[in-house]
Amino acid sequence: MTQRVLTTESGAPVADNQNSATAGVGGPILLQDQHLLEKLARFNRERIPERVVHARGSGAYGYFEVTDDVTGFTRADFLSAVGKRTETFIRFSTVADSLGGADAVRDPRGFALKFYTDEGNYDLVGNNTPVFFIKDPIKFPDFIHSQKRDPFTGRQEPDSVWDFWAHAPEATHQVTWLMGDRGIPASYRHMNGYGSHTYQWTNAEGEAFFVKYHFKTNQGVRSLSSEQAAELAGRDGNSHQTDLLQAIERGVHPSWTLYVQVMPAGEAAVYRFNPFDLTKVWPHSDYPLQRVGRLVLDRNPDNVFAEVEQAAFSPNNFVPGIGPSPDKMLQGRLFAYADAHRYRLGVNHTQLPVNAPRTAGVDNYGRDGLHATRNGARHDKNYEPNSYAGPAQTGAALSAPLAIHGWTGTHEAPAHTKDDDFFQAGELYRLMSEDEKGRLVANIAGGLSQVTRDDVIERNLAHFHAADADYGKRVEEAVRALRED
């Protein structure tokens, strides 16, 4: 085998990669050692800034296969025929901790999926819970600040966590999910994924439907208790990453079955609560699950840093037949996610291999800027319209238009019959077994009892009382017992 020659970034051969150039034997290093300076400078820049949220993640490639006909609801090409397969990339993540945190912690999990369709990339950015803590994006920075490391102590503070929730009664439903048995998945393979938001599907006839995505794990849901998680996190901080990597490497390909709930667009205005409220679910008795297909993960990335950490998902990456809904949190994320990637990875992050569409049809006027690799030929114009056969618009909307009415301004969410902040949290609590309720109460009390202000504790207890009388009573008693110890 011919020995390959090591070169510098400019292509010059490297004479010595073991010793720096010095002024004599044992002398100081010379500034003229271009190879040394280049290596150190590149090393300093190998890692991009970590995400503010979802910093710690794992990823895998796979495919999505359609198993059921949904063409009556959407004209999306990748869903157009039973048996059709589309390449995918998924990134799982924890939300609150930094890149150096452990996998086995009580935290929601990101479930971000990129479909490399023939009509461009479609990104579905969700979580392993069907709801979230807040319903308006203007509160998102405040929420994340309350859950992340405190600027003074450098650690997550129960006072901040529970103080925010005390002032956000709509968080009670998600808090009940998070503190319950599914709050710490045993692995990424053993949890469900949800689009969480409400999205719009449009069929070939122009009929619009609102949908919610449910990815049900075919491995079965498995979770960890707080004690099991603490032991696992101490033993192997990379437990979920290791599990996913090793499962795929040994040919055990995790899979999920995709179901959707479908609501005809005309029913949204008369539904008994706001169907676009991210803190609520649609009961399956109202809108049953309808099977769509299956997601299979069958290939690990070759380079975590180049693929998993540079993967950029944005919920505004739609394809024909799929679009947004009036969900306020979704509307905010349409801007925030793409903007985060422009900061972290640069304006040309969509040209990176993990983010680039697989279709040859990328043709626009976006040029120049940091790391641009697609700048066009010398005679291509960088404006539109033009007289030089440049790409032009189609005039065909990706999804159906959304009706709007009323006055501009800041508005509180409209009240529906059951559009309160506590009803569904109480419903979830009442679905639990006695053992599940006991663990839920213990998990909540363990954190809430550490809060130093009585008024913050009382505010939170009021939320649990409002959700269910027994729920509130048991949490209150458990908190009191822990504080008296």
Side-chain angles (χ1 to χ4, degrees), residues 91-137:
R91 186 177 187 272
F92 304 107
S93 56
T94 53
V95 175
D97 213 343
S98 60
L99 193 57
D103 286 340
V105 294
R106 188 172 298 278
D107 199 15
R109 299 302 192 276
F111 194 97
L113 187 60
K114 187 181 296 291
F115 298 84
Y116 300 102
T117 87
D118 294 335
E119 297 179 299
N121 289 352
Y122 171 47
D123 289 353
L124 183 60
V125 187
N127 284 325
N128 71 327
T129 60
V131 293
F132 197 59
F133 298 93
I134 54 176
K135 63 180 75 175
D136 194 306

Side-chain angles (χ1 to χ4, degrees), residues 261-274:
Q261 290 177 284
V262 181
M263 174 189 290
E267 296 181 12
V270 296
Y271 194 48
R272 67 179 187 272
F273 61 83
N274 180 3

